[in-house]
Amino acid sequence: MVDPITAVKNSCARIAALSSSRVKINDEACEKFALDLVSRLGDLRASCCGGDESKKEDTTFHDYEDEWTSLNNNINTTGRRENPVTIEEEVSAMATLHLLNFGHGHKQLLRELKLGKYKFGGYGSAYVTMMEGVGRATLKGTMSSQRMVDWTPIETKEFFFLPSDCLLASQITDVLRETGSALLSKGYNSLGGFIIQILSSSTSNNTVSSFVRHVIDLIPAFRDEGTYQLPDGEIMTVHFYKKAFL
């Protein structure tokens, strides 16, 4: 069986080589775009950060740091739970974030809903939207496999602030249910527990390829693949696995 890294390198290299003749690059336009982007970024930083370099980091789970610290100290500041967050829960939260990081095609919707706020202003970041949703859900309770299986559209609306009838909301609900079912079918109580067991298993060779293979074999949502028809009619599968590698 070809390892994931080799599959990604070979399939992406082949499709890029076959498509290169149809790609035209305008160097002058690229340079103009880059300079314009730098200029806009500088303006945004100046207006949103007041020139303070310390405020320019990307949003991360550290935005929940106070609440997570309080939970770990068994101090109930949120009114939602009193038990401390475990390592398994933290791993589950981060893995679930990457599991759901597929919303780049929904930028316009997120802008209209004013979700996914960028650090320098504006809305539309799918990554931030997923991060905040997973953070809220985790603070409400353990993100177990059974909870994923039982996940409802109402919960997606509650934690991710998305309308129940939009495609992105349906995708989140479906992926969580599918993942929970896959985990339970193999006896894993959570996504974090599954990952921790892979890393701690004495039978694992502990390589990146081995880890990613375990993840994509069990979890369909981590199996990033695309099917393309080549000019000669051949159907080719291109492997990405970006979310699993992250």
Side-chain angles (χ1 to χ4, degrees):
M1 181 180 293
V2 178
D3 72 72
I5 294 178
T6 301
V8 171
K9 289 172 62 177
N10 290 350
S11 62
C12 290
R14 186 181 179 203
I15 198 69
L18 291 170
S19 304
S20 61
S21 62
R22 301 195 297 272
V23 177
K24 305 297 181 184
I25 299 176
N26 186 324
D27 291 333
E28 183 179 345
C30 289
E31 182 178 1
K32 182 179 182 300
F33 173 79
L35 292 172
D36 182 58
L37 186 63
V38 170
S39 175
R40 289 172 180 266
L41 182 59
D43 292 341
L44 282 171
R45 284 177 168 175
S47 62
C48 298
C49 304
D52 185 351
E53 293 288 332
S54 67
K55 298 180 180 179
K56 296 179 183 178
E57 302 89 353
D58 288 334
T59 305
T60 67
F61 265 108
H62 290 300
D63 290 322
Y64 290 93
E65 185 174 6
D66 290 340
E67 289 180 283
W68 281 69
T69 300
S70 296
L71 287 170
N72 278 313
N73 291 332
N74 205 24
I75 300 173
N76 182 18
T77 61
T78 65
R80 287 172 286 185
R81 57 181 287 177
E82 297 181 356
N83 56 303
V85 173
T86 64
I87 293 297
E88 183 175 328
E89 285 183 287
E90 291 195 49
V91 174
S92 289
M94 291 302 299
T96 303
L97 167 61
H98 293 302
L99 181 80
L100 299 177
N101 190 20
F102 49 62
H104 301 292
H106 303 276
K107 187 177 291 290
Q108 184 58 43
L109 169 67
L110 298 178
R111 283 174 177 167
E112 293 172 358
L113 295 172
K114 293 188 175 181
L115 294 176
K117 186 175 183 179
Y118 289 102
K119 206 72 169 181
F120 306 133
Y123 298 89
S125 170
Y127 181 84
V128 173
T129 301
M130 297 302 146
M131 181 198 67
E132 292 179 341
V134 172
R136 295 184 195 103
T138 301
L139 289 170
K140 181 67 175 291
T142 301
M143 202 68 171
S144 65
S145 300
Q146 189 60 57
R147 186 182 179 194
M148 286 183 168
V149 170
D150 297 333
W151 195 266
T152 67
I154 294 175
E155 288 175 294
T156 299
K157 182 177 181 179
E158 175 185 356
F159 298 119
F160 293 88
F161 298 169
L162 292 165
S164 300
D165 58 350
C166 76
L167 176 61
L168 182 55
S170 299
Q171 290 174 327
I172 291 171
T173 300
D174 291 344
V175 165
L176 289 175
R177 289 174 173 174
E178 176 186 65
T179 301
S181 295
L183 290 167
L184 285 180
S185 72
K186 298 298 182 181
Y188 296 108
N189 293 323
S190 71
L191 183 54
F194 165 57
I195 291 172
I196 290 171
Q197 181 162 325
I198 294 174
L199 296 175
S200 61
S201 173
S202 59
T203 60
S204 173
N205 60 17
N206 292 324
T207 65
V208 173
S209 290
S210 175
F211 173 78
V212 172
R213 172 59 62 192
H214 280 292
V215 171
I216 64 179
D217 280 350
L218 181 60
I219 310 297
F222 277 127
R223 210 173 296 144
D224 299 324
E225 300 173 341
T227 302
Y228 294 85
Q229 183 171 359
L230 303 179
D232 63 1
E234 177 189 350
I235 302 299
M236 176 185 176
T237 299
V238 180
H239 309 274
F240 301 102
Y241 304 148
K242 172 189 172 184
K243 294 187 293 183
F245 278 111
L246 290 174

